[in-house]
Coordinates of all heavy atoms in Angstrom, one line a residue:
S107 N 2.7 9.2 19.0 CA 2.3 9.9 20.2 C 1.9 8.9 21.2 O 1.8 7.7 21.0 CB 1.0 10.8 19.8 OG 0.0 10.0 19.4
R108 N 1.8 9.4 22.4 CA 1.5 8.6 23.6 C 0.3 9.3 24.4 O 0.6 9.8 25.4 CB 2.7 8.4 24.4 CG 2.7 7.0 25.1 CD 4.0 6.8 25.8 NE 4.3 5.4 25.9 CZ 5.4 4.9 25.9 NH1 6.5 5.6 25.9 NH2 5.5 3.6 25.9
P109 N -0.9 9.2 23.9 CA -2.0 9.9 24.6 C -2.3 9.2 25.9 O -2.9 9.9 26.8 CB -3.2 9.8 23.6 CG -2.8 8.6 22.7 CD -1.3 8.6 22.6
S110 N -2.0 8.0 26.1 CA -2.1 7.3 27.3 C -0.8 6.4 27.5 O 0.2 6.9 27.2 CB -3.4 6.4 27.3 OG -3.2 5.4 26.3
N111 N -1.0 5.3 28.0 CA 0.2 4.4 28.2 C 0.6 3.7 26.9 O 1.7 3.1 26.8 CB 0.0 3.3 29.2 CG 0.0 3.9 30.6 OD1 0.5 5.0 30.9 ND2 -0.6 3.2 31.6
H112 N -0.2 3.8 25.9 CA 0.0 3.1 24.6 C 0.4 4.1 23.5 O 0.0 5.2 23.4 CB -1.3 2.4 24.2 CG -1.8 1.4 25.2 ND1 -1.2 0.2 25.4 CD2 -2.8 1.5 26.1 CE1 -1.8 -0.4 26.4 NE2 -2.8 0.3 26.8
R113 N 1.4 3.6 22.7 CA 1.8 4.4 21.5 C 0.8 4.4 20.4 O 0.1 3.4 20.2 CB 3.1 3.8 21.0 CG 4.3 3.9 21.9 CD 5.5 3.1 21.3 NE 6.6 3.2 22.1 CZ 7.0 2.3 23.0 NH1 6.2 1.2 23.3 NH2 8.1 2.4 23.7
R114 N 0.6 5.5 19.7 CA -0.2 5.6 18.6 C 0.6 6.2 17.4 O 1.3 7.2 17.6 CB -1.4 6.5 18.9 CG -2.4 5.9 19.9 CD -3.1 4.7 19.4 NE -4.1 4.2 20.3 CZ -3.9 3.1 21.0 NH1 -2.8 2.3 20.7 NH2 -4.8 2.6 21.8
I115 N 0.4 5.6 16.2 CA 1.1 6.1 15.1 C 0.1 6.6 14.0 O -0.9 5.9 13.7 CB 1.9 4.9 14.4 CG1 2.9 4.3 15.4 CG2 2.7 5.3 13.2 CD1 2.5 3.1 16.1
R116 N 0.3 7.8 13.5 CA -0.5 8.3 12.5 C -0.3 7.5 11.2 O 0.8 7.2 10.8 CB -0.3 9.8 12.2 CG -0.8 10.7 13.3 CD -0.6 12.1 13.0 NE -0.5 12.4 11.6 CZ 0.2 13.5 11.1 NH1 0.7 14.4 11.9 NH2 0.2 13.7 9.8
L117 N -1.4 7.1 10.6 CA -1.3 6.4 9.3 C -0.5 7.1 8.3 O 0.4 6.5 7.6 CB -2.7 6.2 8.7 CG -2.8 5.4 7.4 CD1 -2.2 4.1 7.5 CD2 -4.2 5.3 6.9
E118 N -0.6 8.4 8.2 CA 0.2 9.3 7.3 C 1.7 9.1 7.5 O 2.5 9.0 6.6 CB -0.3 10.7 7.4 CG 0.4 11.7 6.5 CD -0.1 13.1 6.7 OE1 -1.1 13.3 7.4 OE2 0.6 14.0 6.2
D119 N 2.1 9.1 8.8 CA 3.5 9.0 9.2 C 4.0 7.6 8.8 O 5.1 7.4 8.3 CB 3.7 9.3 10.6 CG 3.5 10.7 11.0 OD1 3.6 11.6 10.1 OD2 3.2 11.0 12.2
L120 N 3.2 6.6 9.1 CA 3.6 5.2 8.8 C 3.7 5.0 7.3 O 4.7 4.4 6.8 CB 2.5 4.2 9.3 CG 2.9 2.7 9.2 CD1 4.1 2.4 10.2 CD2 1.8 1.8 9.4
L121 N 2.8 5.5 6.5 CA 2.9 5.4 5.0 C 4.2 6.2 4.5 O 4.8 5.7 3.6 CB 1.7 5.9 4.3 CG 0.4 5.1 4.6 CD1 -0.8 5.8 4.0 CD2 0.6 3.7 4.1
E122 N 4.5 7.3 5.1 CA 5.7 8.1 4.7 C 6.9 7.3 5.0 O 7.9 7.2 4.2 CB 5.7 9.4 5.4 CG 6.9 10.2 5.0 CD 7.1 10.5 3.5 OE1 6.1 10.6 2.8 OE2 8.3 10.5 3.0
Y123 N 7.0 6.6 6.2 CA 8.1 5.8 6.5 C 8.2 4.6 5.5 O 9.3 4.3 5.0 CB 8.0 5.2 7.9 CG 9.0 4.2 8.2 CD1 10.3 4.5 8.5 CD2 8.7 2.8 8.1 CE1 11.3 3.6 8.8 CE2 9.7 1.8 8.3 CZ 11.0 2.2 8.7 OH 11.9 1.3 8.9
K124 N 7.1 4.0 5.2 CA 7.1 2.9 4.3 C 7.6 3.3 2.9 O 8.4 2.6 2.3 CB 5.7 2.3 4.2 CG 5.6 1.0 3.5 CD 4.2 0.4 3.6 CE 4.2 -1.0 3.0 NZ 2.9 -1.6 3.2
R125 N 7.2 4.5 2.4 CA 7.7 5.0 1.1 C 9.2 5.3 1.1 O 9.9 4.9 0.2 CB 6.9 6.3 0.7 CG 5.6 6.1 0.1 CD 5.0 7.4 -0.5 NE 4.6 8.3 0.6 CZ 3.4 8.2 1.1 NH1 2.5 7.4 0.8 NH2 3.1 9.1 2.1
A126 N 9.6 5.9 2.2 CA 11.0 6.2 2.3 C 11.9 5.0 2.4 O 13.0 4.9 1.8 CB 11.3 7.1 3.5
S127 N 11.4 4.0 3.2 CA 12.1 2.8 3.4 C 12.2 2.0 2.0 O 13.3 1.5 1.7 CB 11.4 1.9 4.4 OG 12.0 0.7 4.6
K128 N 11.1 2.0 1.3 CA 11.1 1.3 0.0 C 12.1 2.0 -1.0 O 12.9 1.4 -1.7 CB 9.7 1.3 -0.6 CG 9.7 0.6 -2.0 CD 8.3 0.6 -2.6 CE 8.2 -0.1 -3.9 NZ 9.3 -0.2 -4.7
H129 N 12.1 3.4 -0.9 CA 13.0 4.1 -1.8 C 14.5 3.8 -1.4 O 15.3 3.6 -2.3 CB 12.8 5.6 -1.6 CG 13.7 6.5 -2.4 ND1 13.7 6.6 -3.8 CD2 14.8 7.2 -2.1 CE1 14.6 7.3 -4.2 NE2 15.3 7.8 -3.2
T130 N 14.8 3.7 -0.1 CA 16.2 3.4 0.3 C 16.6 2.0 -0.2 O 17.7 1.8 -0.7 CB 16.3 3.5 1.8 OG1 15.9 4.8 2.2 CG2 17.6 3.2 2.3
K131 N 15.6 1.0 0.0 CA 15.9 -0.3 -0.5 C 16.1 -0.4 -2.0 O 17.0 -1.1 -2.5 CB 14.8 -1.3 0.0 CG 14.7 -1.5 1.5 CD 13.5 -2.3 1.8 CE 13.4 -2.4 3.4 NZ 12.2 -3.1 3.8
D132 N 15.3 0.3 -2.7 CA 15.4 0.3 -4.2 C 16.7 0.9 -4.6 O 17.3 0.4 -5.5 CB 14.2 1.1 -4.8 CG 12.9 0.4 -4.7 OD1 12.9 -0.8 -4.3 OD2 11.9 1.0 -5.0
C133 N 17.2 1.9 -4.0 CA 18.5 2.6 -4.3 C 19.6 1.6 -4.0 O 20.5 1.5 -4.8 CB 18.7 3.9 -3.6 SG 17.6 5.2 -4.1
A134 N 19.5 0.9 -2.9 CA 20.6 0.0 -2.5 C 20.6 -1.2 -3.5 O 21.7 -1.6 -3.9 CB 20.3 -0.5 -1.1
L135 N 19.4 -1.7 -3.9 CA 19.4 -2.8 -4.8 C 19.9 -2.4 -6.2 O 20.7 -3.1 -6.8 CB 17.9 -3.3 -5.0 CG 17.7 -4.4 -5.9 CD1 18.5 -5.7 -5.5 CD2 16.2 -4.8 -6.0
S136 N 19.6 -1.2 -6.6 CA 20.2 -0.7 -7.9 C 21.7 -0.6 -7.8 O 22.4 -0.9 -8.8 CB 19.6 0.7 -8.2 OG 18.2 0.6 -8.5
Q137 N 22.2 -0.1 -6.7 CA 23.6 0.0 -6.5 C 24.3 -1.4 -6.5 O 25.3 -1.6 -7.2 CB 23.9 0.7 -5.2 CG 25.4 1.0 -5.0 CD 25.6 1.8 -3.7 OE1 24.8 1.9 -2.9 NE2 26.9 2.3 -3.6
M138 N 23.6 -2.4 -5.9 CA 24.2 -3.7 -5.9 C 24.2 -4.3 -7.3 O 25.2 -5.0 -7.7 CB 23.4 -4.6 -4.9 CG 23.6 -4.3 -3.5 SD 22.4 -5.2 -2.4 CE 22.5 -6.9 -2.9
I139 N 23.1 -4.1 -8.0 CA 23.1 -4.6 -9.4 C 24.2 -3.9 -10.2 O 24.8 -4.6 -11.0 CB 21.7 -4.3 -10.0 CG1 20.6 -5.2 -9.3 CG2 21.7 -4.5 -11.5 CD1 19.2 -4.9 -9.7
G140 N 24.4 -2.6 -10.1 CA 25.4 -1.9 -10.8 C 26.8 -2.5 -10.5 O 27.6 -2.7 -11.4
V141 N 27.1 -2.8 -9.2 CA 28.4 -3.4 -8.8 C 28.5 -4.7 -9.5 O 29.6 -5.1 -10.0 CB 28.5 -3.5 -7.3 CG1 29.7 -4.3 -6.9 CG2 28.6 -2.1 -6.7
G142 N 27.4 -5.5 -9.5 CA 27.5 -6.9 -10.1 C 27.7 -6.8 -11.6 O 28.5 -7.6 -12.2
E143 N 27.1 -5.8 -12.2 CA 27.3 -5.7 -13.7 C 28.7 -5.2 -14.0 O 29.3 -5.6 -15.0 CB 26.2 -4.7 -14.2 CG 24.8 -5.3 -14.3 CD 23.8 -4.2 -14.7 OE1 24.0 -3.0 -14.7 OE2 22.7 -4.7 -15.1
D144 N 29.2 -4.2 -13.2 CA 30.5 -3.8 -13.4 C 31.6 -4.9 -13.3 O 32.6 -4.9 -14.0 CB 30.9 -2.6 -12.4 CG 30.1 -1.4 -12.7 OD1 29.5 -1.2 -13.8 OD2 30.1 -0.5 -11.8

Side-chain angles (χ1 to χ4, degrees):
S107 63
R108 210 177 209 149
S110 61
N111 287 340
H112 302 285
R113 294 173 179 92
R114 295 288 181 252
I115 300 103
R116 286 184 22 204
L117 177 59
E118 182 180 347
D119 292 335
L120 187 70
L121 293 175
E122 180 55 37
Y123 170 80
K124 191 172 184 176
R125 276 190 288 275
S127 178
K128 182 180 181 334
H129 177 72
T130 302
K131 289 175 186 174
D132 289 348
C133 289
L135 182 59
S136 294
Q137 187 177 9
M138 288 170 52
I139 290 170
V141 168
E143 287 174 344
D144 290 346

